[in-house]
Amino acid sequence: MSMSAAKERLVVIGGDAAGMSAASQARRLKGPGELEIVAFERGHFTSYSACGIPYWVGGDVEERDELIARTPQEHRARGIDLRMRTEVVEIDVAGQRVRARDVDSGAESWTSYDKLVIATGARPIRPDMPGADAPGVHGVQTLDDGQALLDTLARTRGRRAVVVGAGYIGVEMAEALINRGYEVTVVNRGSEPMSTLDADMGRLVHEAMEGLGITMVNGAGVTKVLTGEDGRVRAVATEDAEYPADVVVLGIGVRPETSLARAAGLPVGQHDGLLTDLAMRVRGHENIWAGGDCVEVLDLVSGQERHIALGTHANKHGQVIGANVGGGYATFPGVVGTAVSKVCDLEIARTGLREKDARRAGLQFVTVTIESTSRAGYYPGASPMTVKMLAERRTGRLLGVQIVGREGAGKRVDIAAVALTAGMTVEAMTALDLGYAPPFSPVWDPVLVAARKAALKVRAS
């Protein structure tokens, strides 16, 4: 048997974090003589930081190219046949092939595979209402989306922006537009911004946003986007009011981009994400893997599947997939749901379960909320910090932590993320040997103050 006959072909759908991490890792393990790698990307860019787009739009990051970790040319130099501006429009599972369309010319062709990686990402949720697709209305999921928004901002004479939704993207885009000199109104269906937090912690974010000059409209769903005679957006309407807008940014969240996979009969979960095993192999399919924003992941605290669109997970998924495709072995055990964000100098962090998550999982719990400072109270620059902690009733197992504060608040959540992953109790956490000096924390770190209070409450429960 000749070497060429033994060569396998790996096809990757999607050229960002998960897809190209998988391709790169597989290439490290197997050379071009053993494994041919063909990757399809429908956009103009590969291996970029989608999480950095709000900071580029806001001007904190000056050049778009600073967000690109690896260009198409760099991938090709590593022996990956990367086909840009090419969209896969059909997966033929039985025939082990994919049909791809050149975005510019419309030409189509089939490519066969021995192994397939689906890394199609997520798409911004566009409300199903009149005007949602009007010029001037933007989602911001890809680098192409970010460029389109910046082009609109450069062309738009008016300075009124409406952000629909107040999750991570909505909050970060509101700040970016304030930095660009826009008058910003955020229209949010929830009672407070940041629904990834409990409402009492979201209230702190609300106050900080208003402090920046952002107009917050909570408890209001957008019913339509109104357009002018030129067809462009001119306002956003709720049931009760209209908010003038020269540009609208959708920050309602994202959904897994799994229409291709669903059409091919691959299994998806209740959040529309692909379902995989621990090796990131699509359930029931030996030679198909999936990772990144198009999959559901196991929540290690609740034991339930979740959809979380984050670059950290996508890169880890890609590493795991690439190892397995390349003949090695790796698994992705799950997540605890850690995320950090900021509005101006307010840092927002969470990990584990919110109150409603714990209730949905059938858990009984106690909660405590404490006020502390980022440093010893007498040390210059000490700033207030609020920590909320959930612990399981009777067992005292840590269930979740939310932190809102100024400098030094956000990354403190990592203490809790490690404790959650290790299954620690709040009692055990009180003995953690954390780094202490007055410039870094009070003698009792805020997370440990919350753990002590929670431990007392668990004993009383």
Side-chain angles (χ1 to χ4, degrees):
M1 194 185 216
S2 70
M3 279 300 291
S4 59
K7 185 159 75 166
E8 289 188 310
R9 179 184 288 152
L10 166 66
V11 167
V12 177
I13 308 174
D16 197 14
M20 298 320 291
S21 290
S24 300
Q25 182 69 6
R27 175 54 77 230
R28 283 187 201 106
L29 296 173
K30 284 196 171 175
E34 287 182 281
L35 183 68
E36 179 189 356
I37 304 177
V38 180
F40 296 98
E41 167 53 48
R42 67 183 178 189
H44 291 89
F45 308 99
T46 56
S47 300
Y48 57 86
S49 170
C51 308
I53 293 171
Y55 308 110
W56 166 41
V57 172
D60 295 320
V61 176
E62 287 185 22
E63 293 295 326
R64 179 184 68 204
D65 290 356
E66 291 177 56
L67 299 181
I68 299 172
R70 206 169 275 177
T71 63
Q73 293 80 3
E74 288 172 313
H75 283 301
R76 289 182 189 124
R78 288 174 163 82
I80 296 167
D81 177 1
L82 177 56
R83 302 177 192 179
M84 300 298 293
R85 302 282 292 151
T86 310
E87 180 173 12
V88 173
V89 292
E90 185 183 347
I91 302 169
D92 174 8
V93 172
Q96 293 199 179
R97 58 183 191 154
V98 300
R99 181 162 57 93
R101 177 183 299 147
D102 183 294
V103 174
D104 299 314
S105 73
E108 293 192 354
S109 62
W110 287 96
T111 303
S112 63
Y113 64 81
D114 297 293
K115 294 174 177 176
L116 178 67
V117 173
I118 301 171
T120 42
R123 65 183 185 278
I125 297 170
R126 278 193 177 257
D128 184 16
M129 62 187 179
D133 294 319
V137 179
H138 291 266
V140 280
Q141 179 67 6
T142 66
L143 222 47
D144 287 286
D145 295 337
Q147 187 62 62
L149 174 58
L150 278 173
D151 292 346
T152 292
L153 296 179
R155 284 195 306 265
T156 302
R157 304 251 289 277
R159 309 302 288 173
R160 294 167 304 184
V162 171
V163 177
V164 182
Y168 293 106
I169 295 293
V171 165
E172 288 167 0
M173 290 308 305
E175 182 187 348
L177 290 162
I178 281 277
N179 290 347
R180 289 249 170 213
Y182 279 74
E183 289 175 46
V184 179
T185 301
V186 176
V187 182
N188 172 40
R189 193 184 291 276
S191 61
E192 296 291 356
M194 299 297 289
S195 62
T196 53
L197 304 176
D198 289 321
D200 53 344
M201 298 296 278
R203 179 77 205 170
L204 302 174
V205 180
H206 178 165
E207 290 163 3
M209 290 175 75
E210 289 190 329
L212 282 176
I214 296 166
T215 303
M216 282 297 305
V217 182
N218 289 310
V222 173
T223 53
K224 57 185 168 182
V225 174
L226 304 172
T227 54
E229 287 179 8
D230 58 358
R232 281 186 50 77
V233 61
R234 68 170 179 84
V236 164
T238 65
E239 285 185 357
D240 308 318
E242 279 183 22
Y243 302 94
D246 303 297
V247 63
V248 172
V249 176
L250 302 175
I252 310 169
V254 297
R255 283 205 182 95
E257 181 57 271
T258 48
S259 47
L260 251 188
R262 278 205 311 275
L266 300 176
V268 298
Q270 62 177 14
H271 306 287
D272 268 350
L274 276 158
L275 296 174
T276 70
D277 62 17
L278 290 173
M280 303 307 298
R281 188 184 265 113
V282 173
R283 291 181 196 170
H285 295 269
E286 272 297 297
N287 62 338
I288 305 177
W289 286 260
D293 293 355
C294 66
V295 304
E296 295 188 13
V297 292
L298 176 65
D299 183 312
L300 296 171
V301 189
S302 70
Q304 298 173 341
E305 304 287 340
R306 293 179 63 184
H307 177 247
I308 303 176
L310 268 182
T312 51
H313 304 162
N315 280 290
K316 288 172 190 160
H317 294 166
Q319 292 279 317
V320 168
I321 293 167
N324 291 318
V325 166
Y329 172 68
T331 60
F332 182 80
V335 303
V336 293
T338 310
V340 290
S341 188
K342 74 174 199 57
V343 186
C344 208
D345 65 341
L346 187 80
E347 299 183 4
I348 306 153
R350 53 96 62 206
T351 189
L353 308 181
R354 298 165 297 179
E355 291 191 27
K356 68 178 179 184
D357 302 323
R359 277 192 284 271
R360 193 182 300 131
L363 294 163
Q364 292 194 5
F365 56 90
V366 301
T367 72
V368 296
T369 303
I370 64 103
E371 303 278 335
S372 183
T373 53
S374 57
R375 301 170 174 178
Y378 53 79
Y379 193 89
S383 58
M385 185 183 308
T386 305
V387 180
K388 180 172 183 176
M389 188 171 281
L390 278 69
E392 187 176 13
R393 197 177 147 207
R394 292 178 61 196
T395 69
R397 176 171 68 111
L398 179 68
L399 295 179
V401 171
Q402 298 164 41
I403 306 175
V404 176
R406 307 289 164 177
E407 184 191 6
K411 288 295 279 178
R412 262 188 171 85
V413 80
D414 290 342
I415 304 166
V418 173
L420 280 169
T421 306
M424 291 180 76
T425 64
V426 287
E427 182 84 46
M429 284 179 72
T430 61
L432 283 173
D433 185 10
L434 303 182
Y436 162 69
F440 299 101
S441 78
V443 69
W444 277 94
D445 189 272
V447 174
L448 299 191
V449 174
R452 282 177 73 184
K453 196 170 175 184
L456 288 170
K457 206 162 179 182
V458 166
R459 278 185 223 141
S461 74

